[in-house]
Amino acid sequence: DQQVKQNSPSLSVQEGRISILNCDYTNSMFDYFLWYKKYPAEGPTFLISISSIKDKNEDGRFTVFLNKSAKHLSLHIVPSQPGDSAVYFCAASGRNTNAGKSTFGDGTTLTVKP
Amino acid sequence: EAQVTQNPRYLITVTGKKLTVTCSQNMNHEYMSWYRQDPGLGLRQIYYSMNVEVTDKGDVPEGYKVSRKEKRNFPLILESPSPNQTSLYFCASSLRENNSPLHFGNGTRLTVT
């Protein structure tokens, strides 16, 4: 049973527009969520996170929204830039998990067209 | 520069020939972990280590071994590789505190024929 799901394998947007990447989770024990970004031939890098005590966290062009009742989070990128083209992984961890142990989604490939 | 270094980047081997993928971090992180990435399955944890001489199984440990004799190194050992272990492998490290983000290496693409 996959506890973290990214239902859209790919997303294509025009440069300057908003990119919205979605993530759903099933385990109510998850209380911390992270987004990672991965370029080809590189490892994932941490992008932004949110604790379950918040419903929004913003860092420059990146904003993550958390809807606990729906067990849903989303990553908004505004404005999107060609350099944002990458695979984005959603990850979740919980109070009962070991440090650093996150459950990952399958990833969404974002393509930003110039 | 803070980094996680994996070697080799690419490896082609045959079934049954023992191999080791090395991983080293220079950030003095207590926590280290191995993941494999497969199409449609995301990143799945193989083994993790909370500190020196402390290791535990992740979600897909079968066919793998690890050791943590030093804080900076966390090698992944495949005693008898099989074709279903063909995958992209990532080593990661983080601080021990809960919710600390993972720092990943650049990956090792393993092919077992």
Side-chain angles (χ1 to χ4, degrees), chain B residues 1 6-7 13 17 19 22 26 30-31 33 43 52-54 58-59 64 72 74 99 108:
Chain B
E1 181 189 352
Q6 295 177 228
N7 280 298
T13 190
K17 186 176 181 181
L19 66 92
T22 64
N26 62 1
E30 295 87 359
Y31 182 93
S33 182
L43 287 161
V52 176
E53 302 292 358
V54 180
D59 300 315
Y64 304 95
R72 62 183 293 126
F74 191 45
N99 305 330
T108 296

Side-chain angles (χ1 to χ4, degrees), chain A residues 32 34 36 99-100 102, chain B residues 94-102:
Chain A
Y32 198 79
L34 308 96
Y36 291 84
S102 292
Chain B
S94 74
L95 295 170
R96 185 183 177 90
E97 285 73 25
N98 280 338
N99 305 330
S100 295
L102 290 162

